[in-house]
Amino acid sequence: LELVELNRSSPYQTDYKMIICAHSKPLKISTCVLIAIKDNGLDMRNDVAIEFEIDSAPMLATLLLKVEEETFLRNTPAQINNPNCWIAMIPFPKLDDRGIRVDSKSDITAAITTFDINVAKIKLNATCVKCTSPRMETLAETWSTDKATEDATE
């Protein structure tokens, strides 16, 4: 696994590679969603628990970072491992009195220029906690099927 790779064609950009969930346990992300509408005779309240299971997800991000040379040269070896010191070296953009960037894209000092993710398998588990809509239970069951998992990651 190569975590950081210098981009020789663009001196301010660095490629970062990472794999999420390369081990036997998938990454699980859970949330609850409440969809409620009460208007003109319609009274709907659907409380749904949603869980995503991600088996493996290699990611590649290219970051553009420009640092001030003078600030960089003043750093001590102990500060090189401190992410806050690196962030402090990025020049602040010129802003107007409302806090909006004054200059165009040519003055960008930090940005994510590319972001790629390839999810090998993502499984959605949806459960109606309390649903008043008759079709919401059916929809939650459909989202949780193996066919839905296959369709989401094809």
Side-chain angles (χ1 to χ4, degrees):
L1 173 67
E2 194 169 356
L3 191 58
V4 177
E5 179 182 315
L6 295 177
N7 189 331
R8 303 251 184 247
S9 63
S10 183
Y12 300 113
Q13 296 188 34
T14 304
D15 295 331
Y16 290 88
K17 298 175 184 175
M18 182 178 13
I19 297 177
I20 294 179
C21 304
H23 301 292
S24 60
K25 291 185 179 181
L27 173 67
K28 292 184 181 184
I29 302 169
S30 300
T31 189
C32 285
V33 177
L34 174 63
I35 303 166
I37 300 173
K38 190 169 188 172
D39 186 39
N40 294 334
L42 178 64
D43 190 5
M44 176 183 80
R45 185 175 177 90
N46 298 311
D47 192 1
V48 183
I50 300 174
E51 178 183 79
F52 294 96
E53 288 183 21
I54 301 171
D55 276 356
S56 176
M59 290 189 296
L60 170 65
T62 302
L63 304 179
L64 176 133
L65 296 173
K66 293 182 181 179
V67 297
E68 293 179 332
E69 181 180 11
E70 187 177 312
T71 309
F72 176 77
L73 294 173
R74 281 196 313 250
N75 272 339
T76 64
Q79 293 172 318
I80 293 296
N81 291 331
N82 186 337
N84 295 319
C85 292
W86 282 97
I87 292 169
M89 287 188 278
I90 299 170
F92 200 71
K94 294 175 187 168
L95 305 176
D96 65 12
D97 57 343
R98 295 176 296 160
I100 299 172
R101 181 186 293 266
V102 175
D103 297 327
S104 67
K105 292 181 178 181
S106 62
D107 281 348
I108 292 175
T109 56
I112 298 173
T113 57
T114 60
F115 182 78
D116 294 319
I117 186 167
N118 184 5
V119 178
K121 183 178 175 187
I122 186 166
K123 181 169 176 51
L124 172 67
N125 296 313
T127 308
C128 274
V129 177
K130 186 174 182 183
C131 297
T132 60
S133 299
R135 297 276 182 152
M136 186 54 80
E137 187 77 40
T138 306
L139 183 60
E141 289 172 6
T142 303
W143 284 344
S144 302
T145 63
D146 290 337
K147 172 88 170 97
T149 300
E150 290 173 23
D151 289 347
T153 52
E154 272 186 355

